[in-house]
Structure formats: C-alpha cells, structure tokens
mmCIF file of all heavy atoms in Angstrom:
data_model
loop_
_atom_site.group_PDB
_atom_site.id
_atom_site.type_symbol
_atom_site.label_atom_id
_atom_site.label_comp_id
_atom_site.label_asym_id
_atom_site.label_seq_id
_atom_site.Cartn_x
_atom_site.Cartn_y
_atom_site.Cartn_z
ATOM 1 N N GLU A 11 -9.861 -14.488 4.089
ATOM 2 C CA GLU A 11 -10.466 -14.465 5.420
ATOM 3 C C GLU A 11 -9.405 -14.581 6.511
ATOM 4 O O GLU A 11 -9.477 -13.893 7.537
ATOM 5 C CB GLU A 11 -11.498 -15.590 5.569
ATOM 6 C CG GLU A 11 -12.744 -15.385 4.738
ATOM 7 C CD GLU A 11 -13.527 -14.127 5.103
ATOM 8 O OE1 GLU A 11 -13.520 -13.715 6.280
ATOM 9 O OE2 GLU A 11 -14.138 -13.540 4.188
ATOM 10 N N LYS A 12 -8.431 -15.426 6.297
ATOM 11 C CA LYS A 12 -7.366 -15.632 7.288
ATOM 12 C C LYS A 12 -6.515 -14.359 7.434
ATOM 13 O O LYS A 12 -6.172 -13.967 8.549
ATOM 14 C CB LYS A 12 -6.507 -16.821 6.865
ATOM 15 C CG LYS A 12 -5.545 -17.296 7.901
ATOM 16 C CD LYS A 12 -6.259 -18.126 8.917
ATOM 17 C CE LYS A 12 -5.308 -19.148 9.489
ATOM 18 N NZ LYS A 12 -5.941 -19.918 10.536
ATOM 19 N N ILE A 13 -6.178 -13.723 6.310
ATOM 20 C CA ILE A 13 -5.382 -12.490 6.356
ATOM 21 C C ILE A 13 -6.146 -11.406 7.113
ATOM 22 O O ILE A 13 -5.593 -10.733 7.996
ATOM 23 C CB ILE A 13 -5.013 -12.023 4.935
ATOM 24 C CG1 ILE A 13 -4.019 -12.996 4.294
ATOM 25 C CG2 ILE A 13 -4.435 -10.601 4.955
ATOM 26 C CD1 ILE A 13 -3.799 -12.771 2.797
ATOM 27 N N ILE A 14 -7.419 -11.230 6.794
ATOM 28 C CA ILE A 14 -8.249 -10.216 7.459
ATOM 29 C C ILE A 14 -8.339 -10.502 8.958
ATOM 30 O O ILE A 14 -8.281 -9.585 9.788
ATOM 31 C CB ILE A 14 -9.657 -10.144 6.813
ATOM 32 C CG1 ILE A 14 -9.563 -9.665 5.359
ATOM 33 C CG2 ILE A 14 -10.595 -9.265 7.634
ATOM 34 C CD1 ILE A 14 -8.987 -8.282 5.161
ATOM 35 N N SER A 15 -8.470 -11.776 9.321
ATOM 36 C CA SER A 15 -8.577 -12.140 10.744
ATOM 37 C C SER A 15 -7.314 -11.792 11.522
ATOM 38 O O SER A 15 -7.359 -11.678 12.751
ATOM 39 C CB SER A 15 -8.902 -13.631 10.900
ATOM 40 O OG SER A 15 -7.746 -14.429 10.700
ATOM 41 N N LYS A 16 -6.207 -11.617 10.827
ATOM 42 C CA LYS A 16 -4.935 -11.263 11.465
ATOM 43 C C LYS A 16 -4.715 -9.748 11.492
ATOM 44 O O LYS A 16 -3.632 -9.276 11.833
ATOM 45 C CB LYS A 16 -3.772 -11.926 10.721
ATOM 46 C CG LYS A 16 -3.834 -13.439 10.703
ATOM 47 C CD LYS A 16 -3.518 -14.012 12.059
ATOM 48 C CE LYS A 16 -3.462 -15.533 11.985
ATOM 49 N NZ LYS A 16 -2.971 -16.128 13.210
ATOM 50 N N GLY A 17 -5.734 -8.976 11.095
ATOM 51 C CA GLY A 17 -5.615 -7.524 11.132
ATOM 52 C C GLY A 17 -4.792 -6.948 10.005
ATOM 53 O O GLY A 17 -4.272 -5.835 10.104
ATOM 54 N N ALA A 18 -4.683 -7.692 8.923
ATOM 55 C CA ALA A 18 -3.912 -7.247 7.760
ATOM 56 C C ALA A 18 -4.834 -7.170 6.547
ATOM 57 O O ALA A 18 -6.020 -7.498 6.629
ATOM 58 C CB ALA A 18 -2.751 -8.212 7.487
ATOM 59 N N TYR A 19 -4.278 -6.737 5.419
ATOM 60 C CA TYR A 19 -5.033 -6.611 4.176
ATOM 61 C C TYR A 19 -4.234 -7.266 3.059
ATOM 62 O O TYR A 19 -3.012 -7.086 2.997
ATOM 63 C CB TYR A 19 -5.264 -5.126 3.860
ATOM 64 C CG TYR A 19 -6.173 -4.914 2.674
ATOM 65 C CD1 TYR A 19 -7.550 -5.030 2.810
ATOM 66 C CD2 TYR A 19 -5.657 -4.610 1.425
ATOM 67 C CE1 TYR A 19 -8.390 -4.851 1.727
ATOM 68 C CE2 TYR A 19 -6.490 -4.428 0.331
ATOM 69 C CZ TYR A 19 -7.855 -4.550 0.493
ATOM 70 O OH TYR A 19 -8.675 -4.379 -0.591
ATOM 71 N N PRO A 20 -4.871 -8.028 2.164
ATOM 72 C CA PRO A 20 -4.159 -8.643 1.040
ATOM 73 C C PRO A 20 -3.714 -7.562 0.042
ATOM 74 O O PRO A 20 -4.546 -6.911 -0.579
ATOM 75 C CB PRO A 20 -5.185 -9.582 0.415
ATOM 76 C CG PRO A 20 -6.337 -9.646 1.364
ATOM 77 C CD PRO A 20 -6.284 -8.424 2.202
ATOM 78 N N SER A 21 -2.429 -7.386 -0.104
ATOM 79 C CA SER A 21 -1.884 -6.323 -0.959
ATOM 80 C C SER A 21 -2.341 -6.374 -2.416
ATOM 81 O O SER A 21 -2.525 -5.324 -3.029
ATOM 82 C CB SER A 21 -0.354 -6.349 -0.918
ATOM 83 O OG SER A 21 0.125 -6.221 0.396
ATOM 84 N N PRO A 22 -2.520 -7.556 -3.025
ATOM 85 C CA PRO A 22 -2.847 -7.568 -4.457
ATOM 86 C C PRO A 22 -4.224 -7.033 -4.836
ATOM 87 O O PRO A 22 -4.416 -6.605 -5.972
ATOM 88 C CB PRO A 22 -2.759 -9.052 -4.832
ATOM 89 C CG PRO A 22 -1.900 -9.669 -3.793
ATOM 90 C CD PRO A 22 -2.186 -8.897 -2.538
ATOM 91 N N ILE A 23 -5.197 -7.050 -3.920
ATOM 92 C CA ILE A 23 -6.552 -6.651 -4.298
ATOM 93 C C ILE A 23 -6.540 -5.235 -4.876
ATOM 94 O O ILE A 23 -6.098 -4.294 -4.232
ATOM 95 C CB ILE A 23 -7.524 -6.723 -3.106
ATOM 96 C CG1 ILE A 23 -7.754 -8.170 -2.700
ATOM 97 C CG2 ILE A 23 -8.860 -6.072 -3.456
ATOM 98 C CD1 ILE A 23 -8.704 -8.328 -1.533
ATOM 99 N N ASN A 24 -7.012 -5.136 -6.119
ATOM 100 C CA ASN A 24 -7.088 -3.872 -6.866
ATOM 101 C C ASN A 24 -5.738 -3.239 -7.185
ATOM 102 O O ASN A 24 -5.691 -2.104 -7.650
ATOM 103 C CB ASN A 24 -7.997 -2.860 -6.158
ATOM 104 C CG ASN A 24 -9.422 -3.349 -6.120
ATOM 105 O OD1 ASN A 24 -9.908 -3.939 -7.085
ATOM 106 N ND2 ASN A 24 -10.089 -3.143 -5.010
ATOM 107 N N TYR A 25 -4.644 -3.953 -6.952
ATOM 108 C CA TYR A 25 -3.331 -3.441 -7.332
ATOM 109 C C TYR A 25 -3.210 -3.525 -8.856
ATOM 110 O O TYR A 25 -3.247 -4.628 -9.414
ATOM 111 C CB TYR A 25 -2.212 -4.238 -6.649
ATOM 112 C CG TYR A 25 -0.837 -3.728 -6.977
ATOM 113 C CD1 TYR A 25 -0.289 -2.663 -6.266
ATOM 114 C CD2 TYR A 25 -0.088 -4.283 -8.006
ATOM 115 C CE1 TYR A 25 0.963 -2.182 -6.564
ATOM 116 C CE2 TYR A 25 1.168 -3.810 -8.307
ATOM 117 C CZ TYR A 25 1.686 -2.753 -7.590
ATOM 118 O OH TYR A 25 2.937 -2.270 -7.887
ATOM 119 N N SER A 26 -3.158 -2.409 -9.517
ATOM 120 C CA SER A 26 -3.127 -2.354 -10.987
ATOM 121 C C SER A 26 -4.277 -3.163 -11.595
ATOM 122 O O SER A 26 -4.108 -3.814 -12.620
ATOM 123 C CB SER A 26 -1.779 -2.841 -11.527
ATOM 124 O OG SER A 26 -0.741 -1.988 -11.115
ATOM 125 N N GLY A 27 -5.426 -3.166 -10.919
ATOM 126 C CA GLY A 27 -6.603 -3.857 -11.428
ATOM 127 C C GLY A 27 -6.668 -5.338 -11.098
ATOM 128 O O GLY A 27 -7.604 -6.022 -11.534
ATOM 129 N N PHE A 28 -5.721 -5.871 -10.321
ATOM 130 C CA PHE A 28 -5.746 -7.298 -9.979
ATOM 131 C C PHE A 28 -6.961 -7.578 -9.102
ATOM 132 O O PHE A 28 -7.168 -6.911 -8.086
ATOM 133 C CB PHE A 28 -4.454 -7.709 -9.259
ATOM 134 C CG PHE A 28 -4.272 -9.190 -9.152
ATOM 135 C CD1 PHE A 28 -3.755 -9.918 -10.209
ATOM 136 C CD2 PHE A 28 -4.641 -9.867 -7.998
ATOM 137 C CE1 PHE A 28 -3.582 -11.299 -10.121
ATOM 138 C CE2 PHE A 28 -4.486 -11.239 -7.898
ATOM 139 C CZ PHE A 28 -3.955 -11.956 -8.961
ATOM 140 N N PRO A 29 -7.785 -8.582 -9.458
ATOM 141 C CA PRO A 29 -9.083 -8.746 -8.784
ATOM 142 C C PRO A 29 -9.099 -9.650 -7.545
ATOM 143 O O PRO A 29 -10.145 -9.801 -6.932
ATOM 144 C CB PRO A 29 -9.940 -9.377 -9.887
ATOM 145 C CG PRO A 29 -8.970 -10.207 -10.661
ATOM 146 C CD PRO A 29 -7.683 -9.406 -10.656
ATOM 147 N N LYS A 30 -7.994 -10.255 -7.185
ATOM 148 C CA LYS A 30 -8.022 -11.260 -6.118
ATOM 149 C C LYS A 30 -7.044 -10.932 -4.991
ATOM 150 O O LYS A 30 -6.271 -9.988 -5.066
ATOM 151 C CB LYS A 30 -7.700 -12.649 -6.699
ATOM 152 C CG LYS A 30 -8.687 -13.119 -7.760
ATOM 153 C CD LYS A 30 -10.041 -13.442 -7.166
ATOM 154 C CE LYS A 30 -11.000 -13.927 -8.241
ATOM 155 N NZ LYS A 30 -12.122 -14.630 -7.694
ATOM 156 N N SER A 31 -7.047 -11.784 -3.954
ATOM 157 C CA SER A 31 -6.225 -11.583 -2.761
ATOM 158 C C SER A 31 -4.827 -12.165 -2.883
ATOM 159 O O SER A 31 -3.907 -11.720 -2.207
ATOM 160 C CB SER A 31 -6.887 -12.254 -1.556
ATOM 161 O OG SER A 31 -8.163 -11.748 -1.367
ATOM 162 N N ILE A 32 -4.705 -13.216 -3.672
ATOM 163 C CA ILE A 32 -3.428 -13.908 -3.857
ATOM 164 C C ILE A 32 -3.249 -14.192 -5.347
ATOM 165 O O ILE A 32 -4.214 -14.101 -6.114
ATOM 166 C CB ILE A 32 -3.361 -15.236 -3.054
ATOM 167 C CG1 ILE A 32 -4.433 -16.230 -3.526
ATOM 168 C CG2 ILE A 32 -3.466 -14.964 -1.558
ATOM 169 C CD1 ILE A 32 -4.335 -17.609 -2.884
ATOM 170 N N CYS A 33 -2.045 -14.550 -5.723
ATOM 171 C CA CYS A 33 -1.785 -15.026 -7.089
ATOM 172 C C CYS A 33 -1.647 -16.543 -7.024
ATOM 173 O O CYS A 33 -0.996 -17.073 -6.116
ATOM 174 C CB CYS A 33 -0.492 -14.432 -7.644
ATOM 175 S SG CYS A 33 -0.474 -12.635 -7.749
ATOM 176 N N THR A 34 -2.265 -17.231 -7.979
ATOM 177 C CA THR A 34 -2.154 -18.690 -8.068
ATOM 178 C C THR A 34 -1.791 -19.043 -9.506
ATOM 179 O O THR A 34 -2.617 -18.908 -10.406
ATOM 180 C CB THR A 34 -3.471 -19.384 -7.659
ATOM 181 O OG1 THR A 34 -4.535 -18.876 -8.457
ATOM 182 C CG2 THR A 34 -3.777 -19.159 -6.189
ATOM 183 N N SER A 35 -0.573 -19.452 -9.696
ATOM 184 C CA SER A 35 -0.083 -19.777 -11.035
ATOM 185 C C SER A 35 0.015 -21.290 -11.152
ATOM 186 O O SER A 35 0.805 -21.920 -10.441
ATOM 187 C CB SER A 35 1.275 -19.116 -11.259
ATOM 188 O OG SER A 35 1.159 -17.722 -11.045
ATOM 189 N N VAL A 36 -0.800 -21.857 -12.028
ATOM 190 C CA VAL A 36 -0.899 -23.310 -12.150
ATOM 191 C C VAL A 36 -0.160 -23.775 -13.399
ATOM 192 O O VAL A 36 -0.348 -23.231 -14.492
ATOM 193 C CB VAL A 36 -2.374 -23.757 -12.200
ATOM 194 C CG1 VAL A 36 -2.482 -25.273 -12.309
ATOM 195 C CG2 VAL A 36 -3.122 -23.252 -10.964
ATOM 196 N N ASN A 37 0.688 -24.778 -13.201
ATOM 197 C CA ASN A 37 1.446 -25.441 -14.260
ATOM 198 C C ASN A 37 2.264 -24.463 -15.090
ATOM 199 O O ASN A 37 3.232 -23.900 -14.580
ATOM 200 C CB ASN A 37 0.525 -26.322 -15.101
ATOM 201 C CG ASN A 37 -0.061 -27.460 -14.279
ATOM 202 O OD1 ASN A 37 0.590 -27.979 -13.368
ATOM 203 N ND2 ASN A 37 -1.289 -27.837 -14.559
ATOM 204 N N GLU A 38 1.895 -24.215 -16.349
ATOM 205 C CA GLU A 38 2.739 -23.419 -17.252
ATOM 206 C C GLU A 38 2.644 -21.912 -17.031
ATOM 207 O O GLU A 38 3.370 -21.144 -17.651
ATOM 208 C CB GLU A 38 2.426 -23.739 -18.721
ATOM 209 C CG GLU A 38 1.103 -23.218 -19.220
ATOM 210 C CD GLU A 38 -0.114 -24.036 -18.818
ATOM 211 O OE1 GLU A 38 0.042 -25.162 -18.274
ATOM 212 O OE2 GLU A 38 -1.240 -23.555 -19.028
ATOM 213 N N VAL A 39 1.781 -21.437 -16.147
ATOM 214 C CA VAL A 39 1.662 -20.004 -15.883
ATOM 215 C C VAL A 39 2.878 -19.579 -15.061
ATOM 216 O O VAL A 39 3.119 -20.105 -13.966
ATOM 217 C CB VAL A 39 0.354 -19.670 -15.138
ATOM 218 C CG1 VAL A 39 0.269 -18.186 -14.828
ATOM 219 C CG2 VAL A 39 -0.843 -20.129 -15.966
ATOM 220 N N ALA A 40 3.671 -18.635 -15.593
ATOM 221 C CA ALA A 40 4.937 -18.260 -14.961
ATOM 222 C C ALA A 40 4.736 -17.543 -13.629
ATOM 223 O O ALA A 40 5.420 -17.835 -12.652
ATOM 224 C CB ALA A 40 5.762 -17.393 -15.902
ATOM 225 N N CYS A 41 3.822 -16.575 -13.566
ATOM 226 C CA CYS A 41 3.569 -15.859 -12.320
ATOM 227 C C CYS A 41 2.330 -14.987 -12.463
ATOM 228 O O CYS A 41 1.829 -14.778 -13.561
ATOM 229 C CB CYS A 41 4.769 -15.015 -11.891
ATOM 230 S SG CYS A 41 5.186 -13.653 -12.973
ATOM 231 N N HIS A 42 1.833 -14.502 -11.324
ATOM 232 C CA HIS A 42 0.692 -13.579 -11.250
ATOM 233 C C HIS A 42 -0.603 -14.152 -11.818
ATOM 234 O O HIS A 42 -1.448 -13.412 -12.317
ATOM 235 C CB HIS A 42 1.032 -12.238 -11.906
ATOM 236 C CG HIS A 42 2.245 -11.607 -11.325
ATOM 237 N ND1 HIS A 42 3.200 -10.984 -12.095
ATOM 238 C CD2 HIS A 42 2.692 -11.514 -10.046
ATOM 239 C CE1 HIS A 42 4.168 -10.534 -11.325
ATOM 240 N NE2 HIS A 42 3.885 -10.850 -10.075
ATOM 241 N N GLY A 43 -0.769 -15.476 -11.716
ATOM 242 C CA GLY A 43 -2.018 -16.097 -12.153
ATOM 243 C C GLY A 43 -3.181 -15.651 -11.287
ATOM 244 O O GLY A 43 -3.035 -15.433 -10.079
ATOM 245 N N ILE A 44 -4.337 -15.495 -11.902
ATOM 246 C CA ILE A 44 -5.536 -15.036 -11.197
ATOM 247 C C ILE A 44 -6.358 -16.258 -10.769
ATOM 248 O O ILE A 44 -6.713 -17.095 -11.602
ATOM 249 C CB ILE A 44 -6.382 -14.121 -12.102
ATOM 250 C CG1 ILE A 44 -5.561 -12.901 -12.526
ATOM 251 C CG2 ILE A 44 -7.662 -13.701 -11.390
ATOM 252 C CD1 ILE A 44 -6.227 -12.034 -13.581
ATOM 253 N N PRO A 45 -6.655 -16.378 -9.471
ATOM 254 C CA PRO A 45 -7.486 -17.499 -9.022
ATOM 255 C C PRO A 45 -8.807 -17.569 -9.789
ATOM 256 O O PRO A 45 -9.390 -16.535 -10.130
ATOM 257 C CB PRO A 45 -7.725 -17.179 -7.541
ATOM 258 C CG PRO A 45 -6.532 -16.367 -7.140
ATOM 259 C CD PRO A 45 -6.236 -15.524 -8.357
ATOM 260 N N ASP A 46 -9.257 -18.806 -10.050
ATOM 261 C CA ASP A 46 -10.504 -18.994 -10.787
ATOM 262 C C ASP A 46 -11.211 -20.252 -10.310
ATOM 263 O O ASP A 46 -10.778 -20.891 -9.354
ATOM 264 C CB ASP A 46 -10.245 -19.006 -12.294
ATOM 265 C CG ASP A 46 -9.335 -20.135 -12.756
ATOM 266 O OD1 ASP A 46 -9.232 -21.172 -12.056
ATOM 267 O OD2 ASP A 46 -8.716 -19.999 -13.815
ATOM 268 N N SER A 47 -12.271 -20.622 -11.000
ATOM 269 C CA SER A 47 -13.126 -21.730 -10.562
ATOM 270 C C SER A 47 -12.621 -23.106 -10.998
ATOM 271 O O SER A 47 -13.185 -24.116 -10.575
ATOM 272 C CB SER A 47 -14.544 -21.521 -11.085
ATOM 273 O OG SER A 47 -14.532 -21.493 -12.508
ATOM 274 N N ARG A 48 -11.559 -23.170 -11.804
ATOM 275 C CA ARG A 48 -11.029 -24.468 -12.237
ATOM 276 C C ARG A 48 -10.513 -25.242 -11.028
ATOM 277 O O ARG A 48 -9.737 -24.726 -10.234
ATOM 278 C CB ARG A 48 -9.886 -24.263 -13.228
ATOM 279 C CG ARG A 48 -9.182 -25.540 -13.643
ATOM 280 C CD ARG A 48 -7.865 -25.178 -14.368
ATOM 281 N NE ARG A 48 -7.044 -26.306 -14.647
ATOM 282 C CZ ARG A 48 -6.140 -26.828 -13.810
ATOM 283 N NH1 ARG A 48 -5.975 -26.331 -12.607
ATOM 284 N NH2 ARG A 48 -5.403 -27.854 -14.170
ATOM 285 N N GLU A 49 -10.967 -26.475 -10.891
ATOM 286 C CA GLU A 49 -10.497 -27.306 -9.784
ATOM 287 C C GLU A 49 -9.120 -27.867 -10.100
ATOM 288 O O GLU A 49 -8.837 -28.250 -11.246
ATOM 289 C CB GLU A 49 -11.489 -28.444 -9.517
ATOM 290 C CG GLU A 49 -12.809 -27.949 -8.972
ATOM 291 C CD GLU A 49 -13.781 -29.073 -8.660
ATOM 292 O OE1 GLU A 49 -13.511 -30.247 -9.001
ATOM 293 O OE2 GLU A 49 -14.833 -28.762 -8.076
#
C-alpha cells in the first residue's frame, strides 16, 4: 500500500511467478522468502 501510494509498483509481484510485493526471509532462509501468515 505504501509503495502504491508513492506512485510506484512493487517489482517482485509476478516476477518469475513470485506472488508477493516484498521478500521476507526469516531466520535460516537465505533469501527470497515469501511472506506468509506465520507470526
């Protein structure tokens, strides 16, 4: 929502099938983690 409000677009959405706006890599995930419902 914040990115859109600035007149920009989140690059990752649908990039090679990536389903989200950002990558969130938690703990042992090296990179490109997909945001999910885990708190």
Side-chain angles (χ1 to χ4, degrees):
E11 290 298 329
K12 191 79 151 177
I13 291 169
I14 295 299
S15 78
K16 299 288 185 171
Y19 187 79
S21 303
I23 291 180
N24 295 321
Y25 182 84
S26 296
F28 193 82
K30 299 290 181 162
S31 302
I32 62 174
C33 300
T34 55
S35 304
V36 181
N37 296 327
E38 72 281 350
V39 178
C41 66
H42 304 139
I44 300 172
D46 62 23
S47 61
R48 175 193 172 273
E49 292 182 352

